[in-house]
């Protein structure tokens, strides 16, 4: 029969820990950062800056920007553990040996939100995925809709060169935000889940909602998100989530990000997302082969 001490020791669950392959500027990775910070104390991680930028010559001025192409560089660890070499990627660290297990890496931004939430052991309103099956199913539907309608359209506004095309993407984005705003009125709010429970839909949209400010800088005041009646719930949501401590800890410096995103605004960025938008498809529909750089 096990001793009380042995039972007590074996019943303790070690806090999950990860090497977190990320990039400070990437809104996709920002989703995972939000989930990790929401579950601070239940999950631990080591941040690894695994994606960056390097300049390569553009002798024929294909960019039209008068300077070099900007290409992503990727850390070898990222290329080993994520099939597309994309952030975010989580690699578990054994709590006893301190060794990583690259065979169990988890990637894809929305997947990482659910994974972090599940492995955290959180309960009730601390969870990002509701314990209520209906609310969880509703959230799965809307994470996809928000990703397509409010996040992918962001790149169309920045990358497309024709004003008419940019405006088309912006109007699609506003339509998506209006749909999201209507859904916020379906519960007690101000978050997507009832009673101010932060959830996966909020974390899916939040990195882009924070970054919408760049539109005015690079595309003009007519690209500001309007303060209309239809978007009233969205703005209430925005003010609420941006003031959460777990969110504020994750936000990049606005001026630094504004400088970074200029690569997309002037057409010199070479990334899978930018390349997909250039060839006329949605950012979320990038192709690992066609849009490789």
């Amino acid at each position: 029969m096990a001793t009380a001490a042995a039972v007590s020791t074996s019943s303790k669950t070690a806090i999950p820990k990860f090497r977190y392959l990320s990039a400070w500027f990437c809104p996709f990775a920002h989703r995972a950062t939000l989930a990790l910070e929401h579950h601070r104390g239940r999950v631990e991680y080591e941040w690894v800056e695994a994606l960056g930028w390097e300049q390569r010559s553009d002798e024929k001025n294909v960019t039209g920007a008068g300077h070099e192409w900007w290409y992503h560089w990727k850390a070898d660890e990222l290329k080993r553990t994520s099939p597309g070499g994309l952030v975010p990627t989580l690699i578990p660290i054994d709590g006893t040996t301190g060794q990583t297990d690259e065979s169990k890496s988890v990637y894809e931004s929305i997947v990482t939100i659910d994974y972090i939430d599940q492995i955290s052991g959180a309960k009730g309103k601390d969870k990002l995925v509701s314990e209520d099956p209906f609310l969880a199913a509703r959230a799965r539907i809307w994470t996809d809709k928000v990703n397509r309608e409010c996040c992918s359209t962001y790149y169309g506004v920045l990358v497309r060169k024709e004003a008419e095309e940019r405006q088309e993407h912006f109007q699609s984005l506003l339509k998506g935000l209006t749909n999201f705003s209507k859904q916020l009125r379906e519960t007690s709010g101000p978050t997507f889940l009832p009673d101010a429970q932060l959830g996966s839909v909020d974390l899916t949209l939040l990195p882009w909602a924070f970054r919408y400010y760049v539109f005015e800088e690079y595309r003009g005041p007519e690209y500001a998100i309007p303060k209309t009646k239809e978007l009233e719930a969205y703005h209430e949501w925005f003010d609420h989530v941006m003031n959460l401590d777990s969110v504020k800890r994750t936000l990049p410096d606005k001026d630094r990000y504004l400088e970074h995103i200029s690569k997309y605004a002037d057409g010199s960025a070479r990334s899978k997302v930018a390349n997909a938008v250039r060839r006329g498809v949605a950012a979320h529909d990038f192709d690992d082969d066609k849009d490789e750089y």
Side-chain angles (χ1 to χ4, degrees), residues 198-214:
L198 194 67
S200 56
V201 180
D202 306 310
L203 268 57
T204 296
L205 174 58
L206 199 155
W208 281 264
F210 169 76
R211 289 163 171 80
Y212 290 156
Y213 74 93
V214 307

Side-chain angles (χ1 to χ4, degrees), residues 99-115:
Q99 298 298 307
T100 58
D101 186 349
E102 294 186 353
S103 70
K104 292 185 177 180
S105 61
V106 177
Y107 40 89
E108 300 291 346
S109 61
I110 294 174
V111 173
T112 63
I113 295 173
D114 290 353
Y115 174 69

Side-chain angles (χ1 to χ4, degrees), residues 164-237:
E164 183 177 343
E165 292 179 327
R166 291 170 179 168
Q167 190 57 223
E168 181 181 344
H169 283 280
F170 185 62
Q171 292 305 316
S172 294
L173 188 155
L174 292 182
K175 182 179 178 181
L177 289 180
T178 300
N179 291 336
F180 174 67
S181 200
K182 290 177 181 177
Q183 289 298 310
L184 292 173
R185 293 301 192 209
E186 294 295 316
T187 71
S188 56
T191 52
F192 187 84
L193 292 174
D195 304 322
Q197 181 178 347
L198 194 67
S200 56
V201 180
D202 306 310
L203 268 57
T204 296
L205 174 58
L206 199 155
W208 281 264
F210 169 76
R211 289 163 171 80
Y212 290 156
Y213 74 93
V214 307
F215 291 158
E216 292 179 78
E217 177 71 21
Y218 290 115
R219 296 296 175 250
E222 66 271 27
Y223 285 89
I225 305 300
K227 297 289 184 70
T228 60
K229 184 69 175 177
E230 291 80 7
L231 292 178
E232 187 175 64
Y234 163 76
H235 287 290
E236 291 172 0
W237 169 87

Side-chain angles (χ1 to χ4, degrees), residues 270-284:
R270 299 287 287 178
S271 68
K272 290 183 179 180
V273 165
N275 291 352
V277 175
R278 275 193 202 93
R279 66 182 178 87
V281 302
H284 60 263

Side-chain angles (χ1 to χ4, degrees), residues 33-86:
T33 308
L34 287 161
L36 288 165
E37 283 299 308
H38 175 75
H39 286 306
R40 177 188 278 198
R42 290 184 283 263
V43 177
E44 296 179 354
Y45 65 96
E46 299 174 356
W47 181 293
V48 180
E49 197 72 11
L51 186 70
W53 293 91
E54 61 184 10
Q55 286 181 300
R56 301 180 194 172
S57 63
D58 177 26
E59 296 176 358
K60 297 183 180 179
N61 194 29
V62 177
T63 66
H67 57 70
E68 295 87 349
W69 288 110
W70 284 93
Y71 284 77
H72 273 149
W73 62 260
K74 301 176 182 180
D76 289 340
E77 186 178 17
L78 180 63
K79 290 187 284 188
R80 287 197 311 269
T81 55
S82 173
L86 300 175

